[in-house]
Amino acid sequence: MSGNTFGERFRVTTAGVSHGPGYLCIIDGCPPGLPLSVEDLLPDLQRRRPGQSKLTTQRDEADLPEFFSGVFQGKTDGTSIGILFRNTDQRSQDYGDIVEKYRPGHADYTFDAKYGFRDYRGGGRSSARETVCRVAAGAVAKKLLATQGVRILGYVTQVGDVQTVIHDPTAVTLEQVESTPVRCPEPEAAAKMIDLIDAVRKDRDSIGGVCEMVAVGVPPGWGEPVFDKLKADLAKAMLSLPAVTAFEYGAGFRVAHMRGSEHNDLFVPKPGGGITTTTNHHGGMLGGISSGEPIVLRVAIKPTSSLPRSQPTVNKAGEATEILTRGRHDPCLLPRFVPMGEAMLALVLVDHWLRWRSQCAPIDGMPTS
Amino acid sequence: MSGNTFGERFRVTTAGVSHGPGYLCIIDGCPPGLPLSVEDLLPDLQRRRPGQSKLTTQRDEADLPEFFSGVFQGKTDGTSIGILFRNTDQRSQDYGDIVEKYRPGHADYTFDAKYGFRDYRGGGRSSARETVCRVAAGAVAKKLLATQGVRILGYVTQVGDVQTVIHDPTAVTLEQVESTPVRCPEPEAAAKMIDLIDAVRKDRDSIGGVCEMVAVGVPPGWGEPVFDKLKADLAKAMLSLPAVTAFEYGAGFRVAHMRGSEHNDLFVPKPGGGITTTTNHHGGMLGGISSGEPIVLRVAIKPTSSLPRSQPTVNKAGEATEILTRGRHDPCLLPRFVPMGEAMLALVLVDHWLRWRSQCAPIDGMPTS
Amino acid sequence: MSGNTFGERFRVTTAGVSHGPGYLCIIDGCPPGLPLSVEDLLPDLQRRRPGQSKLTTQRDEADLPEFFSGVFQGKTDGTSIGILFRNTDQRSQDYGDIVEKYRPGHADYTFDAKYGFRDYRGGGRSSARETVCRVAAGAVAKKLLATQGVRILGYVTQVGDVQTVIHDPTAVTLEQVESTPVRCPEPEAAAKMIDLIDAVRKDRDSIGGVCEMVAVGVPPGWGEPVFDKLKADLAKAMLSLPAVTAFEYGAGFRVAHMRGSEHNDLFVPKPGGGITTTTNHHGGMLGGISSGEPIVLRVAIKPTSSLPRSQPTVNKAGEATEILTRGRHDPCLLPRFVPMGEAMLALVLVDHWLRWRSQCAPIDGMPTS
Amino acid sequence: MSGNTFGERFRVTTAGVSHGPGYLCIIDGCPPGLPLSVEDLLPDLQRRRPGQSKLTTQRDEADLPEFFSGVFQGKTDGTSIGILFRNTDQRSQDYGDIVEKYRPGHADYTFDAKYGFRDYRGGGRSSARETVCRVAAGAVAKKLLATQGVRILGYVTQVGDVQTVIHDPTAVTLEQVESTPVRCPEPEAAAKMIDLIDAVRKDRDSIGGVCEMVAVGVPPGWGEPVFDKLKADLAKAMLSLPAVTAFEYGAGFRVAHMRGSEHNDLFVPKPGGGITTTTNHHGGMLGGISSGEPIVLRVAIKPTSSLPRSQPTVNKAGEATEILTRGRHDPCLLPRFVPMGEAMLALVLVDHWLRWRSQCAPIDGMPTS
């Protein structure tokens, strides 16, 4: 297979291209009995949608999912959930430049190198429009996690040189995040980010940034000790998203500067029972397994590669040329990235919850010796 | 399964604990005909070994592999490669403290939370001694990659606040890396790192750092476009290693500060034929697929959690107490991390090479229409 | 996951129910460059279709596939092949009986036991209409196998007590198979089978049978030696089809009566070079690996469980009652089974071909010592 | 990978060859807390062992397992269970004939065709000695299944033309099976089978047979509806065993002769509550999912290919020659097959039980709408 499936137990498989008839998404392994309707998917799909504000691309994609199976009489029924998205905003256009020339920062050249040729229409299979499937599957995962008291939220902490630090990630609310089009919950920083993106857009340029995500309520014990560490699967999930170039959890790259006596989070009794830690440098994961503390992670997103200006490049014959990428593009990917990152976080957590159920949930009838 | 297997096509499965009889490692999917002997595995095993210098722990582990199958008459034969490592340096000791108390920064608590109890001897399955299997498998992977002209090398670029920047990662040699016990190829920085680690050790403390790794010679076309992007599988591989808290490739977290016009690596004709880029912010991967440019990545490693000093913690009953971790521990994990990181990089690359062979290698008999 | 994916390298994932909007099929791992169009899929879809003759059900399903990705400018492009089938013949009907009562021989009861409830419309996910996806994927697999000189054919050898023995399976042609509606290449037996099915239909009953399949041209060396033996994957493939109750290859169950001196196929030089066997009791597979001789296997298909007559059963409350299954059903599944069995045979072979390519295809640059 | 792993959730990976240092077996996914010791594995290992009677080969293999991880203080601890078997009875021998000539019915030729060369010592990786790992893993699986009230038993029903029918498979006891060396629970048939095997042995020949297996106590709801049907995974499991040429469950190949009105098992209320069927033609599986009725299946085992007599064959150069297979071989594989078949049955059931736990076990906190 060529990597179009994500997850072991809650498994998402996708097909589709940005300028074909649409996208197919199949979710395998969802427990039966979860109340689910198209309406449950729409809010995150709407957050992912292009055209939400002048900060994002002005393309209009309806992104209306249609269930083909797996949901019956308003509940998941345990069989594979099939979802169809029809593409609606495929402008008839000539693809002249992109057919023969390689866009800098894009997958055009590597696709040609790998497959010999490529569907060049809108990036084909490499288009980020593919994340519509991830966000839909993530919405189902979020709803499952909610039954376990797990809440997921992402927000923007950096755009270019505008940075903010959220001191208590667990206190951020969805309302705060959604209150500005840039999805930064700190209003002052948000305003600066918006100004910066606007300036960048006017420069016909783009800008990168950082998204932080947090999962609250994950009980201790999710994650596998060796290769499928929770941190490892989260890193893969995040880096599988387009434009993500870096991942860290807890203290992240700052650990390089730290001493053990400073980095070690000390265990203390939890008021009301149980165990907690005085600090959370470990980002909620120890030995690859959730500790019960909030899971906190950050990813870097590169500036959009498509720029509304001419850039030097080469053509398929290897000759120097210039390319002007037409179409509407986000000057900054961060605002629309938030629901994508949340979706991948949710998919990994639900997968490890199902693994925990399989192996570690208590077994009736287990003898004690 | 509980995550003791890594890889899709070149698949490594392990068992074993640090204070049991030893480790079992099974490699599945290795092509037949590769000349291979125990001697091919020893150099990297020796680099991973404890007790190499005063910078690393003084434990003595022989780490001598024994082949059980998969190698016949000096060559891999295509069947599963079974490797046994006997543990030799298991001191008879009482594990008093660790039995009942949770070491800060370790997996003791999360194992108990997940499984109900744990093998507490030397960390049991959570011990980093498990990486002996990864390094052995990585040595086989490196030898396979060498047949394709791919060379892999890692080195230390940061210990605490001592940092260095390697401007041309492709020019670093194994000899340079191995010329100091800290495995930093820049001698001045290396000297400072050694002093720092020594000071930290005398403080009965530990220190974190950064390891950079590079793969030269990877042809364009390895990696899958959607979920199994090469960058995604590399992120998982690295984060699956103990103590790794962050991953970045190419410009990594620096992309957050960059504009698209600055970040985009421009394609230009390659002298002698083909295509190259003027810069390598993309770290050798575009759209999740190798571009032919050097693959460059960095990971952060936290300071050793085990400290030769008393630390506050709780016991299994949830009561506050103190713990003194006995045993010999590395004051800095970085020097011994280098071969582990290289091994994981090699395992991911060989896996994607085999995927490429399966799907994308030319097919005799394919009609043209 | 809940088992909606088949294959390791050429991976088919499906969703859909018989009385929902349609079926989604995603094929992952297909090599790029294969000429492919909807027309390539239609012949086998037509053979699978209901309503071909009075021997089969009179439902009318258009079964027109629509490609969503993976095919570009008339060729596979290496990305996931997405196929959509719209359901067209869903009569508005009341499902009264089937909602509350368990049809004998069907999955109604086991679905309820597993999932708590079920999509009862036309059998929901347990409907054999799901095989439309398999047949489409199988058509792609057959086209790939043809590039390697592999030809696949199935035919009916038994319906009820009417049996025939095909002495040279490699000599049977598609034309012979398709010359009668029962898909038995031996005309006299075919006539008797047709009469029998007709009689059974008039009795408002159904009848079982046997389908034999053959793959010619498979080179020696496909299949894995231990768990993923070619015979094992074929057995799984066949038993994954609805109504299949038995599988055998080569001498099959007859081996129980045989002595080794009789059963052993002796190797002899092949005229023109190479090696062949004097007999083919081993059905083209030795040690789980293809031998180069024709692969020959047989499966038994049970009589249709749905009968146009009242049958005793129980309802969901566990009370005795009677059920009359409405709808149009095949009095004998065998004629329509042929393309389904061929599809599964093709899917397994293409999967093992891709495995062979990954691991065993010659490697340029491999040193000899 | 090359097929050295079995199972999705309870995953067995093996390495080793018959004339190397031994076998490695890694079991991944076993729930923690199961009391387990070497002694639990010995009875089935002893039943599998050569040299039990004159009916089986006189090789002496100690088959003493050593745990490397996964068992701590007498219980499974949730981590990967590593098991080592040392080979002890490797006679120093010259392998002259087998090096250059292909044994009829063996994998010698297909291994050479696949891998280019092979470990010829005792069959190398194709040796049935590999089943020692399966039987050990199966013993763990059986112990897990016992916690769910599931009991597994196999027995021989046919050797050559000596056949018996067990009318109530659920009534057979382990004591009855073990009361004769041929493992047929019907004493009269057992005596005839023993005589036949003895005669065949004196003829320097071998003989095939049939083994029937039953699982009692499997609750309704295990198995997946589409590709991973319980019947499909059982078929693969059985055909993955050496020498197995056919599989059937329930009425098996007899369904070809049956009408639906005869084959359909009617549901009736179960005395004391629940649902049962009046007959069990469906062998305990409907729609690929267990029905709660006993699971009954049968497999055919071919006569041993190794014969203590000279047989015509070809050498690696493709020239006609003769081969005399030395060594000690079973004149009939059936008696030793019984624990192997039981082990595979147990492995599949425990895998599907864990799948059920993952997806279908009740979820605390699931909303009802």
Side-chain angles (χ1 to χ4, degrees), chain A residues 318-338:
Chain A
E319 302 157 341
T321 180
E322 298 230 328
I323 189 167
L324 172 62
T325 317
R326 275 169 290 200
R328 296 143 294 171
H329 297 284
D330 297 288
C332 179
L333 300 169
L334 270 293
R336 290 180 59 207
F337 177 83
V338 172

CSV table of all heavy atoms in Angstrom, one decimal, chain A residues 318-338:
chain,number,residue,atom,x,y,z
A,318,GLY,N,14.2,19.9,-17.1
A,318,GLY,CA,15.4,20.3,-16.3
A,318,GLY,C,15.9,21.6,-16.7
A,318,GLY,O,17.0,22.0,-16.2
A,319,GLU,N,15.2,22.4,-17.4
A,319,GLU,CA,15.7,23.7,-17.9
A,319,GLU,C,15.1,24.8,-17.0
A,319,GLU,O,14.0,24.8,-16.5
A,319,GLU,CB,15.2,24.0,-19.3
A,319,GLU,CG,15.6,23.0,-20.3
A,319,GLU,CD,14.7,22.9,-21.5
A,319,GLU,OE1,13.6,23.4,-21.5
A,319,GLU,OE2,15.2,22.4,-22.6
A,320,ALA,N,16.0,25.8,-16.7
A,320,ALA,CA,15.6,27.0,-15.9
A,320,ALA,C,14.5,27.7,-16.5
A,320,ALA,O,14.4,27.9,-17.8
A,320,ALA,CB,16.8,27.9,-15.7
A,321,THR,N,13.5,28.2,-15.7
A,321,THR,CA,12.4,28.9,-16.2
A,321,THR,C,11.8,29.7,-15.0
A,321,THR,O,12.4,29.8,-13.9
A,321,THR,CB,11.3,28.0,-16.8
A,321,THR,OG1,10.2,28.8,-17.3
A,321,THR,CG2,10.8,26.9,-15.8
A,322,GLU,N,10.6,30.3,-15.2
A,322,GLU,CA,9.9,30.9,-14.1
A,322,GLU,C,8.5,30.4,-14.0
A,322,GLU,O,7.9,30.0,-15.0
A,322,GLU,CB,9.9,32.5,-14.4
A,322,GLU,CG,11.2,33.1,-14.4
A,322,GLU,CD,11.3,34.3,-13.5
A,322,GLU,OE1,10.2,35.0,-13.3
A,322,GLU,OE2,12.4,34.6,-13.0
A,323,ILE,N,7.9,30.5,-12.8
A,323,ILE,CA,6.5,30.0,-12.7
A,323,ILE,C,5.8,31.0,-11.9
A,323,ILE,O,6.3,31.6,-10.9
A,323,ILE,CB,6.5,28.6,-12.0
A,323,ILE,CG1,5.0,28.1,-12.1
A,323,ILE,CG2,7.0,28.7,-10.6
A,323,ILE,CD1,4.9,26.6,-11.7
A,324,LEU,N,4.5,31.2,-12.3
A,324,LEU,CA,3.6,32.1,-11.5
A,324,LEU,C,2.4,31.2,-11.1
A,324,LEU,O,1.6,30.7,-12.0
A,324,LEU,CB,3.1,33.2,-12.4
A,324,LEU,CG,2.0,34.1,-11.8
A,324,LEU,CD1,2.5,34.7,-10.5
A,324,LEU,CD2,1.5,35.1,-12.8
A,325,THR,N,2.3,30.9,-9.8
A,325,THR,CA,1.2,30.0,-9.4
A,325,THR,C,-0.1,30.8,-9.3
A,325,THR,O,-0.2,31.8,-8.5
A,325,THR,CB,1.6,29.5,-8.0
A,325,THR,OG1,2.9,29.1,-7.9
A,325,THR,CG2,0.7,28.3,-7.6
A,326,ARG,N,-1.0,30.4,-10.1
A,326,ARG,CA,-2.3,31.1,-10.0
A,326,ARG,C,-3.1,30.4,-8.9
A,326,ARG,O,-2.7,29.5,-8.3
A,326,ARG,CB,-3.0,31.0,-11.4
A,326,ARG,CG,-2.6,32.1,-12.3
A,326,ARG,CD,-3.0,31.9,-13.7
A,326,ARG,NE,-2.3,30.7,-14.3
A,326,ARG,CZ,-2.2,30.6,-15.6
A,326,ARG,NH1,-2.8,31.4,-16.4
A,326,ARG,NH2,-1.6,29.5,-16.1
A,327,GLY,N,-4.3,30.9,-8.8
A,327,GLY,CA,-5.2,30.4,-7.8
A,327,GLY,C,-5.2,31.2,-6.5
A,327,GLY,O,-4.4,32.1,-6.3
A,328,ARG,N,-6.1,30.8,-5.6
A,328,ARG,CA,-6.2,31.5,-4.3
A,328,ARG,C,-5.5,30.7,-3.2
A,328,ARG,O,-5.7,29.6,-3.1
A,328,ARG,CB,-7.7,31.7,-4.0
A,328,ARG,CG,-8.4,32.6,-5.1
A,328,ARG,CD,-9.8,32.0,-5.3
A,328,ARG,NE,-9.8,30.7,-5.9
A,328,ARG,CZ,-10.9,30.0,-6.1
A,328,ARG,NH1,-12.0,30.4,-5.7
A,328,ARG,NH2,-10.8,28.8,-6.6
A,329,HIS,N,-4.6,31.4,-2.5
A,329,HIS,CA,-3.9,30.6,-1.5
A,329,HIS,C,-3.9,31.4,-0.2
A,329,HIS,O,-4.0,32.6,-0.1
A,329,HIS,CB,-2.5,30.4,-1.9
A,329,HIS,CG,-2.4,29.5,-3.2
A,329,HIS,ND1,-2.7,28.2,-3.1
A,329,HIS,CD2,-2.3,29.9,-4.5
A,329,HIS,CE1,-2.6,27.7,-4.4
A,329,HIS,NE2,-2.4,28.7,-5.2
A,330,ASP,N,-3.7,30.7,0.9
A,330,ASP,CA,-3.7,31.3,2.3
A,330,ASP,C,-2.3,32.0,2.4
A,330,ASP,O,-1.3,31.3,2.2
A,330,ASP,CB,-3.8,30.2,3.3
A,330,ASP,CG,-5.1,29.5,3.3
A,330,ASP,OD1,-6.1,30.1,3.7
A,330,ASP,OD2,-5.1,28.3,2.9
A,331,PRO,N,-2.3,33.3,2.8
A,331,PRO,CA,-1.0,33.9,3.1
A,331,PRO,C,-0.4,33.3,4.4
A,331,PRO,O,0.8,33.4,4.6
A,331,PRO,CB,-1.4,35.3,3.4
A,331,PRO,CG,-2.9,35.4,3.6
A,331,PRO,CD,-3.5,34.2,2.9
A,332,CYS,N,-1.2,32.7,5.2
A,332,CYS,CA,-0.7,32.0,6.4
A,332,CYS,C,-1.6,30.8,6.7
A,332,CYS,O,-2.9,30.9,6.7
A,332,CYS,CB,-0.8,32.9,7.6
A,332,CYS,SG,-0.2,32.2,9.2
A,333,LEU,N,-1.0,29.6,6.9
A,333,LEU,CA,-1.8,28.4,7.0
A,333,LEU,C,-2.3,28.2,8.4
A,333,LEU,O,-3.2,27.3,8.6
A,333,LEU,CB,-0.9,27.2,6.6
A,333,LEU,CG,-0.4,27.2,5.2
A,333,LEU,CD1,0.7,26.1,5.0
A,333,LEU,CD2,-1.5,26.9,4.2
A,334,LEU,N,-1.8,28.9,9.4
A,334,LEU,CA,-2.1,28.6,10.8
A,334,LEU,C,-3.5,28.6,11.1
A,334,LEU,O,-4.0,27.6,11.8
A,334,LEU,CB,-1.3,29.6,11.7
A,334,LEU,CG,0.1,29.2,12.1
A,334,LEU,CD1,0.0,28.0,13.0
A,334,LEU,CD2,1.0,28.9,10.9
A,335,PRO,N,-4.3,29.6,10.8
A,335,PRO,CA,-5.7,29.6,11.3
A,335,PRO,C,-6.5,28.3,10.8
A,335,PRO,O,-7.2,27.7,11.7
A,335,PRO,CB,-6.3,30.8,10.6
A,335,PRO,CG,-5.2,31.7,10.4
A,335,PRO,CD,-4.0,30.8,10.0
A,336,ARG,N,-6.3,27.9,9.6
A,336,ARG,CA,-7.0,26.7,9.1
A,336,ARG,C,-6.3,25.4,9.6
A,336,ARG,O,-6.9,24.3,9.6
A,336,ARG,CB,-7.1,26.7,7.6
A,336,ARG,CG,-8.0,27.8,7.1
A,336,ARG,CD,-8.1,27.7,5.6
A,336,ARG,NE,-8.5,26.4,5.1
A,336,ARG,CZ,-8.2,25.9,3.9
A,336,ARG,NH1,-7.4,26.6,3.1
A,336,ARG,NH2,-8.6,24.7,3.5
A,337,PHE,N,-5.1,25.5,10.1
A,337,PHE,CA,-4.4,24.3,10.5
A,337,PHE,C,-5.0,23.8,11.9
A,337,PHE,O,-5.0,22.6,12.1
A,337,PHE,CB,-2.9,24.6,10.8
A,337,PHE,CG,-2.2,23.4,11.3
A,337,PHE,CD1,-1.7,22.4,10.5
A,337,PHE,CD2,-2.0,23.3,12.7
A,337,PHE,CE1,-1.1,21.3,11.0
A,337,PHE,CE2,-1.4,22.2,13.2
A,337,PHE,CZ,-0.9,21.2,12.4
A,338,VAL,N,-5.5,24.7,12.7
A,338,VAL,CA,-5.9,24.3,14.0
A,338,VAL,C,-6.9,23.1,14.0
A,338,VAL,O,-6.6,22.1,14.7
A,338,VAL,CB,-6.6,25.6,14.8
A,338,VAL,CG1,-7.2,25.1,16.1
A,338,VAL,CG2,-5.5,26.6,15.0
